[in-house]
């Protein structure tokens, strides 16, 4: 082996570093979930139907809203670590009224406050889903900033709005707004028709979001993790990839030293 002159040593180091950088860039370019730094709003259904039992006539006394509360309680601690989250609720208040309430603007570490608010809700009113989503979008400043809305509902719009029409309007004016809709046990119940399901699906699809049907608390948890929770912000390179960088660098040095 021939001893390296200072010039050759510098060239070898530069080449090795170049190879390492090239391979590292390839690793970084692998598809991965983007960090979730957009503000998010939860739109939570507290209409009268959410007071109904989960099993509807098969001996259960668990209110549907309780299952939604338990699912939120599982997901919020992790979701609110990385993004600011706010809350709009609709339905609570006088019976058969179209009530929408902005409970919280997007706020850091908002999990405890959101759960305190949701746990205090008494479902009673109707379902002004369209107006609730509109208010959530406005709070997110959707025309100027990216944002995410996650709707948790068990039924259709019942206050005269059109979720699909709103979806088109928001998409046309938004900077980058994503709307997800989680439909909890919306099938085979008298207050929900097939057309209304298609209408709320349209709201999500018009704005790059998901419509997810959930039939249990476990389904709700999975859906909330998929739409509200944050993916890993960074992704470690695999040991095999790092070993490839090391071997390539060593090979370059050996070739230049001969």
């Amino acid at each position: 082996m021939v001893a390296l002159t200072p010039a050759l040593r510098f060239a070898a180091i530069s080449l090795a570093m170049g190879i390492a950088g090239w391979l590292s860039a390839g690793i970084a370019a692998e598809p991965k979930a983007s960090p979730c730094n957009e503000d998010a709003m939860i739109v939570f259904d507290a209409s009268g139907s959410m007071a109904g039992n989960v099993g509807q006539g098969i001996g259960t006394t668990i209110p549907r809203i309780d299952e939604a509360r338990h699912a939120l309680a599982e997901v919020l601690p992790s979701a609110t670590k990385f993004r600011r989250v706010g809350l709009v609720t609709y339905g609570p208040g006088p019976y058969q009224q179209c009530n929408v309430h902005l409970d919280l603007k997007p706020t850091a570490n908002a999990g405890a406050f959101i759960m305190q608010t949701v746990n205090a809700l008494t479902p009673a009113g109707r379902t002004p889903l369209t107006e609730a989503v509109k208010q959530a979008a406005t709070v997110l400043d959707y025309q100027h900033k990216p944002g995410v809305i996650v709707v948790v509902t068990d039924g259709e719009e019942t206050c005269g709005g059109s979720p699909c029409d709103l979806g088109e309007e928001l998409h046309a004016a938004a900077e980058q707004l994503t709307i997800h809709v989680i439909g909890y046990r919306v099938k085979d119940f008298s207050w929900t028709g097939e057309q209304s399901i298609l209408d709320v699906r349209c709201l999500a699809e018009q704005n790059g979001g998901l419509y997810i049907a959930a039939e249990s608390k476990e389904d709700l948890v999975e859906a909330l993790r998929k739409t509200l929770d944050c993916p890993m912000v960074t992704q470690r390179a695999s040991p095999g990839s790092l070993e490839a960088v090391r071997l390539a660098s060593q090979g370059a040095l050996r070739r230049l030293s001969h």
Side-chain angles (χ1 to χ4, degrees), residues 19-238:
I19 292 172
W22 174 75
L23 287 172
S24 298
I27 295 169
E30 292 177 357
K32 61 181 180 180
S34 60
C36 57
N37 49 18
E38 305 97 338
D39 287 349
M41 290 294 294
I42 299 169
V43 175
F44 189 85
D45 185 348
S47 62
S49 59
M50 287 289 276
N53 293 343
V54 171
Q56 197 199 29
I58 58 173
T60 179
T61 58
I62 302 172
R64 297 148 72 84
I65 195 170
D66 280 359
E67 293 285 78
R69 287 168 175 153
H70 295 155
L72 269 179
E74 284 196 31
V75 176
L76 281 178
S78 59
T80 56
K81 283 182 181 179
F82 298 102
R83 71 156 95 237
R84 302 195 309 169
V85 181
L87 176 69
V88 167
T89 55
Y90 63 83
Y95 180 68
Q96 288 295 309
Q97 297 298 306
C98 295
N99 302 302
V100 177
H101 190 261
L102 170 60
D103 298 279
L104 183 69
K105 294 182 178 180
T107 303
N109 302 309
F113 180 86
I114 291 174
M115 286 311 307
Q116 179 183 354
T117 303
V118 168
N119 286 337
L121 294 172
T122 300
R126 302 177 72 183
T127 307
L129 187 151
T130 304
E131 179 60 27
V133 171
K134 185 176 181 179
Q135 287 195 27
T138 300
V139 170
L140 287 170
D141 193 15
Y142 74 99
Q143 292 178 309
H144 305 102
K145 298 192 302 184
V148 176
I149 296 174
V150 179
V151 182
V152 180
T153 184
D154 77 334
E156 78 276 21
E157 165 72 43
T158 60
C159 290
S162 171
C164 191
D165 288 348
L166 176 65
E168 293 178 3
E169 293 172 14
L170 294 177
H171 177 70
E175 170 68 22
Q176 184 181 335
L177 180 66
T178 304
I179 301 177
H180 303 293
V181 178
I182 301 172
Y184 180 46
R185 301 182 68 85
V186 298
K187 294 183 296 184
D188 303 324
F189 287 89
S190 60
W191 54 78
T192 303
E194 182 64 25
Q195 183 58 44
S196 66
I197 296 174
L198 295 177
D199 201 41
V200 79
R201 278 182 183 270
C202 173
L203 171 66
E205 292 169 354
Q206 286 284 343
N207 290 277
L210 302 171
Y211 175 86
I212 304 176
E215 297 297 314
S216 65
K217 188 197 83 171
E218 291 72 25
D219 290 346
L220 284 171
V221 169
E222 182 179 354
L224 286 166
R225 291 199 191 285
K226 186 176 294 186
T227 57
L228 183 66
D229 207 354
C230 295
M232 294 298 293
V233 174
T234 58
Q235 199 173 57
R236 292 182 178 179
S238 66

